[in-house]
Amino acid sequence: MAAMVAPKVEQRARRIHVSGIVQGVGFRPFVYRLAKDMGLKGFVRNTPHGVEIHIEGDGASRSFVERLRGSAPPNARIDRIEVLPDTDQGYADFTIDTTSGGEATVFAPPDLFLCGECFDELFTPSDRRYRYPFINCTNCGPRYTIIRGLPYDRVNTTMKVFRMCPRCDGEYRDPSDRRFHAEPNACPDCGPGVFFTEGGEKVPGGIERAVERLRQGMLLALKGMGGFHLLCDARNARAVERLRDLKQRERKPFALMARDLETVEAVADVTGDEKAVLLSAQRPIVLVRKRTQIEGISPGIPTYGIMLPYTPLHALIMERIPLVVATSANLREGPILKDESEGVRELSDCLLTHNRDIVMRCDDSVLKLAAGRRIFVRRARGFVPEPLGINFEGRNRILSLGGELKNTVSILKDGYIITSQYLGDMKDLGNRQYLEEVIAHFSTLYAFVPDVVTCDLHPDFTTTRMAEGWGKPVVRVQHHMAHVFAVLAEHGLSPEEPFLGVALDGVGYGEDGRIWGGEFFVGGRGMIQRAFHVRYVPQQGGDLATLEPWRMALGYTMDALGKPVRMGVLATVDEKKLTAAGNAIRQGVNSPLTSSVGRLFDAVSAILGIAPLRIDYEAEAAMRLEGIACEDAQEYYPFEVRGDEIDMRETIRAVVEDTAPPAVISGKFHNTIAQVILTVCEASRKRYGIQRVILSGGVFLNAVLLARAITSLREMGVEVYAPEKLSPGDEAISVGQAYFAALNRGEA
Ligand code: ZN
Ligand code: ZN
Ligand code: FE
């Protein structure tokens, strides 16, 4: 009765390639459970490019891929899934093939915080890892800071020296176990331990004693994930003061670690978005608005930087003390200390260390939120080394050495930019060694050898000289163009489309040899050109003016009014110093010209008497001005755009004459800078038909300004792009250099 129909040849087997962050995050066990659940046969394995899956079974490949995408483990990031037909091999089961090899992928996993399941086990008395400070699983634990090389296997980590006991080994080999191939897997019988040192005596254990010392007001150096923290009881003003003496920091904000969200909420007003970031897998330090004043933590500014415990060791300590200062242990501006031998004893009364070595030091990340958007104040632990895809496959492998302050390095390989953690100021010898450690680490991790090296235009930077000595072609990128290109890179934007690149910044070497920092570039069709800039004013004292904001107030008031004004901080400066500085400006001695908007913020902060006489940390004067800004202020001050120059003299005159409270003046000043951006944007729209605006540069760490600029530009109907995955500041310079060089030398 039925007609003869040729059987439909159905390709039942599929080969699936998944790329992204899929190694070291529990991806293979997840695939295994999924395949088992769907009755599929085949295997899953790690490859140099991600994960490869072979499945065969009853035509379930589509729903398999959907579930793969939809229910991946929390710390995985799938960039691409490629599905190809494959031949049926008649597999009897689904297995995890643990062989891996080949050339290293661009994906190394970042460090992850203690997950909920491990947290519960940590505090369950009957659990075999009860109170064990190194508990972890495939969803949590250290990664980047303990990896010596890829592929990410135990032998390539600092866990190699700890031989797993039979029970741990059983978990490690069992595909249905949460600890299947959890490379740092350990327990009290076989894993690392902690040691307490006091008065030259080192004993195993000692978490209780360490907490006791904290409660007694002593300073504890604690070895964590990416290095040492210095801890003290945040409520003990004398301990905080001693810590300030030891770190030689008068006012620089100290980060806090709080036991839980309730503790955070007791001292700060936390929004829903901020809570989400505090609890996120990266567990960064989040800047939140103060509710109560805790003496000595962050004098002069309205926020605290707070984080929650992110390792089991932190959780065990915080169980007994609700709020501590947890600041990176370093010597002045140097790198975070990672070994006992690096001088951490001199900074503390006692030490709690452990014997799991740290390969790669790494600070805590710092974030703040502006109208729900995140701003990276410091990008490090948890976010590094997450690769940034750039939709552009040049043939060249690029090493970008960045700039000088708040530096990072980046490498570009296989269409991805990988950026290091925050490395600090390159003037410090320790930080320069840190930079070399990172380059060596990246070279091993990613089997990376550069074809091209990039650096800043500044002839005297250490990184410029390093690039010149590399023996490869060098691409020099102007500092603020690099800022703009970093934002283009993170949003995957092509520089072919016309754009206005706004770079408001502290300092960068300009194409004319002057100090730039208030620059507006017009770009498109692969070109970029400076179209507008803030009027040059004298930066009396050169770099000294960055430390003493009154020097900028002097330069600005003399330019705007023809004479110095003795108000605000200027009224407190020593008479002789002030006269000498004034004369130097008149004679053009030691007074290089600058268009820096960072310095303009310093000037206004000093005129209002908000800035200190001498700052204790970078951008202190500007942060204080932002801190007092009245959010309700609607007006702005006058300014003038003449030709390519943005003249701020009228603004300065208006600020000097305004009798409103400093908070209102600050609010109006923030509005003024937003209005400058708007005005230039309008002009470029008319002149060049630009519809796309890029906001970049360290000044956009200012949340008030960033929020206002974005809101008003959107109202104007232009597309606005601002930094979100990277810092607006100089940590992004190496990224911008890499993208710039890829586009310009990509086919070289
Ligand atoms: Zn876990
Ligand atoms: Zn064990
Ligand atoms: Fe900069």
Side-chain angles (χ1 to χ4, degrees):
M1 163 171 94
M4 285 286 290
V5 177
K8 204 173 144 215
V9 181
E10 203 196 340
Q11 280 283 11
R12 289 166 65 237
R14 294 284 184 277
R15 176 80 35 140
I16 302 165
H17 295 279
V18 187
S19 58
I21 298 171
V22 289
Q23 293 184 16
V25 290
F27 201 79
R28 285 175 307 169
F30 152 71
V31 173
Y32 172 87
R33 284 189 292 269
L34 183 60
K36 283 276 193 193
D37 187 46
M38 297 180 70
L40 298 166
K41 318 286 185 214
F43 65 86
V44 55
R45 71 172 167 221
N46 283 344
T47 73
H49 307 288
V51 161
E52 183 183 60
I53 306 161
H54 174 92
I55 49 163
E56 43 193 61
D58 285 323
S61 77
R62 180 176 290 172
S63 51
F64 178 78
V65 172
E66 271 165 24
R67 288 177 65 181
L68 202 61
R69 203 186 285 280
S71 53
N75 299 305
R77 186 189 93 191
I78 296 175
D79 282 357
R80 198 163 57 209
I81 299 180
E82 192 189 5
V83 186
L84 300 164
D86 204 353
T87 35
D88 218 313
Q89 306 287 325
Y91 283 100
D93 205 354
F94 193 90
T95 56
I96 299 180
D97 178 353
T98 54
T99 59
S100 54
E103 203 197 336
T105 136
V106 294
F107 299 100
D111 297 307
L112 303 167
F113 87 108
L114 172 68
C115 77
E117 281 168 292
C118 286
F119 183 90
D120 289 344
E121 288 177 355
L122 184 64
F123 293 107
T124 301
S126 59
D127 193 276
R128 72 188 190 93
R129 292 188 180 85
Y130 176 58
R131 307 192 69 82
Y132 180 58
F134 302 93
I135 187 170
N136 67 84
C137 72
T138 51
N139 290 321
C140 74
R143 304 283 189 270
Y144 177 63
T145 50
I146 60 161
I147 301 177
R148 293 191 198 279
L150 288 182
Y152 175 57
D153 285 330
R154 191 175 177 102
V155 290
N156 288 326
T157 71
T158 59
M159 285 302 291
K160 184 190 171 183
V161 295
F162 300 100
R163 197 193 165 88
M164 271 186 279
C165 70
R167 289 178 80 179
C168 285
D169 193 55
E171 296 164 338
Y172 185 85
R173 288 172 194 282
D174 176 2
S176 65
D177 196 281
R178 203 171 92 245
R179 297 195 166 89
F180 174 76
H181 271 261
E183 306 303 342
N185 190 26
C187 80
D189 295 333
C190 66
V194 295
F195 300 86
F196 182 72
T197 305
E198 190 176 37
E201 187 204 358
K202 185 170 181 173
V203 292
I207 294 179
E208 284 76 14
R209 277 175 71 188
V211 175
E212 208 179 285
R213 294 296 178 268
L214 285 173
R215 293 160 82 95
Q216 289 164 352
M218 293 173 118
L219 309 182
L220 172 75
L222 172 71
K223 185 173 171 184
M225 202 180 243
F228 277 89
H229 275 144
L230 298 177
L231 261 57
C232 75
D233 182 353
R235 302 284 193 181
N236 186 322
R238 271 196 55 208
V240 175
E241 201 187 310
R242 270 192 67 218
L243 187 55
R244 289 210 169 273
D245 283 347
L246 276 169
K247 280 200 89 179
Q248 298 172 50
R249 280 296 180 199
E250 234 176 289
R251 294 180 303 270
K252 188 172 185 175
F254 279 154
L256 297 171
M257 185 178 276
R259 178 189 293 161
D260 45 30
L261 263 187
E262 290 75 70
T263 311
V264 178
E265 287 180 300
V267 297
D269 290 317
V270 194
T271 66
D273 288 336
E274 287 163 348
K275 277 180 208 167
V277 180
L278 277 166
L279 291 166
S280 66
Q282 293 82 10
R283 292 282 163 118
I285 296 169
V286 183
L287 302 187
V288 290
R289 195 155 272 272
K290 288 178 182 174
R291 181 200 287 268
T292 61
Q293 282 292 342
I294 311 172
E295 208 184 318
I297 303 299
S298 56
I301 51 169
T303 53
Y304 293 129
I306 305 193
M307 65 187 139
L308 294 172
Y310 56 90
T311 71
L313 184 52
H314 290 130
L316 290 167
I317 288 172
M318 301 309 294
E319 188 194 17
R320 314 248 171 105
I321 183 162
L323 191 68
V324 295
V325 168
T327 180
S328 297
N330 57 6
L331 304 163
R332 197 66 195 181
E333 290 290 284
I336 182 169
L337 305 175
K338 74 176 177 71
D339 296 320
E340 269 172 85
S341 61
E342 293 179 328
V344 71
R345 274 160 212 267
E346 287 91 88
L347 294 171
S348 56
D349 299 315
C350 47
L351 270 69
L352 190 65
T353 63
H354 58 72
N355 57 352
R356 186 182 68 203
D357 281 347
I358 298 171
V359 176
M360 194 71 259
R361 59 186 96 231
C362 192
D363 274 285
D364 295 315
S365 292
V366 185
L367 274 170
K368 65 178 183 178
L369 293 171
R373 300 169 55 91
R374 67 183 189 186
I375 307 179
F376 271 103
V377 178
R378 183 166 71 198
R379 185 177 176 276
R381 176 185 53 76
F383 298 95
V384 171
E386 218 172 83
L388 179 74
I390 56 163
N391 306 321
F392 176 86
E393 297 243 359
R395 281 203 301 270
N396 279 325
R397 292 180 169 196
I398 297 165
L399 169 65
S400 292
L401 297 178
E404 174 127 304
L405 294 161
K406 294 183 168 183
N407 203 29
T408 63
V409 292
S410 289
I411 63 170
L412 187 150
K413 184 189 167 183
D414 302 341
Y416 285 94
I417 296 174
I418 303 146
T419 302
S420 76
Q421 65 272 37
Y422 161 88
L423 302 172
D425 185 349
M426 292 296 108
K427 281 195 281 294
D428 181 276
L429 175 66
N431 290 334
R432 292 205 291 274
Q433 285 161 351
Y434 189 7
L435 175 128
E436 281 169 13
E437 285 171 18
V438 166
I439 294 174
H441 192 50
F442 275 19
S443 304
T444 340
L445 220 51
Y446 303 109
F448 179 82
V449 180
D451 303 309
V452 172
V453 182
T454 76
C455 64
D456 196 88
L457 211 58
H458 199 299
D460 299 330
F461 282 176
T462 321
T463 46
T464 304
R465 287 194 290 270
M466 270 179 83
E468 285 162 350
W470 213 278
K472 297 281 177 184
V474 175
V475 176
R476 289 161 214 270
V477 188
Q478 198 280 323
H479 186 90
H480 301 103
M481 291 186 189
H483 270 307
V484 172
F485 269 75
V487 180
L488 291 174
E490 79 157 84
H491 291 283
L493 300 173
S494 152
E496 291 300 309
E497 290 276 312
F499 65 89
L500 175 72
V502 182
L504 306 187
D505 202 27
V507 50
Y509 190 83
E511 286 178 321
D512 57 3
R514 288 177 175 161
I515 307 167
W516 286 11
E519 317 309 313
F520 296 79
F521 299 97
V522 164
R525 285 167 226 96
M527 306 277 288
I528 178 163
Q529 204 178 354
R530 189 191 194 209
F532 303 89
H533 66 90
V534 171
R535 176 185 162 86
Y536 287 124
V537 294
Q539 181 171 328
Q540 204 288 313
D543 287 345
L544 188 59
T546 313
L547 299 174
E548 300 181 346
W550 63 266
R551 290 178 190 272
M552 286 316 301
L554 185 68
Y556 260 106
T557 51
M558 282 176 69
D559 188 44
L561 301 143
K563 59 178 196 316
V565 178
R566 293 223 80 178
M567 65 184 289
V569 180
L570 285 168
T572 68
V573 178
D574 173 75
E575 187 75 48
K576 269 191 197 151
K577 262 191 177 175
L578 194 67
T579 312
N583 288 338
I585 289 175
R586 275 187 212 94
Q587 291 155 15
V589 177
N590 195 16
S591 302
L593 293 177
T594 184
S595 55
S596 165
V597 172
R599 294 295 85 80
L600 174 57
F601 271 83
D602 287 353
V604 172
S605 183
I607 291 169
L608 295 183
I610 301 301
L613 202 53
R614 190 182 171 93
I615 60 165
D616 183 48
Y617 54 92
E618 208 207 333
E620 185 181 12
M623 279 169 69
R624 288 186 177 197
L625 190 63
E626 177 191 354
I628 61 157
C630 167
E631 308 261 350
D632 303 328
Q634 296 299 324
E635 295 152 75
Y636 58 89
Y637 297 114
F639 58 88
E640 222 182 312
V641 181
R642 230 180 297 102
D644 64 351
E645 184 184 89
I646 302 152
D647 186 343
M648 302 304 290
R649 283 181 295 183
E650 276 193 67
T651 301
I652 295 295
R653 287 194 284 267
V655 166
V656 168
E657 280 160 23
D658 201 337
T659 52
V664 175
I665 298 180
S666 171
K668 284 158 82 174
F669 175 70
H670 279 79
N671 290 344
T672 308
I673 302 300
Q675 192 60 37
V676 166
I677 300 170
L678 229 59
T679 306
V680 171
C681 182
E682 191 57 62
S684 344
R685 193 149 74 157
K686 280 202 188 106
R687 222 180 281 178
Y688 309 99
I690 283 167
Q691 291 297 337
R692 179 178 278 185
V693 182
I694 311 297
L695 302 178
S696 73
V699 168
F700 288 105
L701 286 165
N702 184 318
V704 176
L705 176 66
L706 183 67
R708 283 184 196 190
I710 290 178
T711 313
S712 38
L713 285 166
R714 290 226 170 105
E715 279 168 12
M716 222 178 113
V718 293
E719 294 169 41
V720 193
Y721 297 92
E724 236 183 329
K725 293 180 188 162
L726 302 165
S727 169
D730 287 2
E731 289 178 47
I733 288 298
S734 68
V735 180
Q737 287 177 359
Y739 194 47
F740 185 93
L743 294 160
N744 287 277
R745 307 257 331 188
E747 303 310 317

